[in-house]
Amino acid sequence: MALLLLSEARDAAATALLPQLDGHASARALALDGFLTACERQDADRCPPLLDGTTRSAVASAAVSRFLQVALNDRRTNERAEDALRQWVRTADRNPAAESALSDLLPVLVAGPRDAARLVHLLDTLQGTDGRPRPAVTARLRTALTRPLAHI
């Protein structure tokens, strides 16, 4: 499942998997696991493949945002989804394409004040790798996140 989300068939795979988020609990768990496995796929300092897909396809962008919203609001997958976002932010500190994709994605993840607070907290408390200071990109992403939140 994760490989399909990372392939050229990502739009078809995402379209087929999205209904599982509202389906039976075991199908939902399987879909979220496949999605989060795809999120965790990293290629050194390049833009993470799943995040990169959001810049190439409106279908992929909508699917990734929906899957992330569900994963972040599910107590069984919340920690794993936050860890994936932290890794994406760390990559964005070294990769302008990842930063641009996250700048577009983060505001879409916000459906209400709780979502906004969670993402702001994630950015404000993110530590660099190996005890390094917080990545500089977090301030820019926080600005990109909070600018459209004035309406909430």
Side-chain angles (χ1 to χ4, degrees), residues 10 47-58 60-61 97-98 100-102 104:
R10 72 181 156 258
C47 187
L50 194 64
L51 180 61
D52 187 51
T54 66
T55 66
R56 300 175 190 282
S57 161
S61 180
S100 176
L102 270 177
D104 292 340

Side-chain angles (χ1 to χ4, degrees), residues 95-126:
N95 183 294
E99 180 178 350
S100 176
L102 270 177
S103 291
D104 292 340
L105 178 65
L106 288 176
V108 179
L109 296 178
V110 178
R114 182 175 174 209
D115 297 331
R118 174 192 296 121
L119 293 173
V120 166
H121 178 74
L122 184 140
L123 292 171
D124 287 350
T125 60
L126 181 72

Side-chain angles (χ1 to χ4, degrees), residues 25-71:
S26 60
R28 174 187 168 112
L30 187 60
L32 285 172
D33 182 64
F35 169 75
L36 290 170
T37 299
C39 285
E40 294 161 349
R41 177 77 184 262
Q42 297 282 318
D43 290 334
D45 289 339
R46 293 177 46 207
C47 187
L50 194 64
L51 180 61
D52 187 51
T54 66
T55 66
R56 300 175 190 282
S57 161
V59 171
S61 180
V64 167
S65 63
R66 173 79 169 113
F67 268 102
L68 270 174
Q69 286 172 331
V70 171

Side-chain angles (χ1 to χ4, degrees), residues 85-107:
L85 280 174
R86 285 184 192 98
Q87 288 303 335
W88 286 2
V89 171
R90 288 183 183 111
T91 299
D93 197 47
R94 302 179 305 271
N95 183 294
E99 180 178 350
S100 176
L102 270 177
S103 291
D104 292 340
L105 178 65
L106 288 176

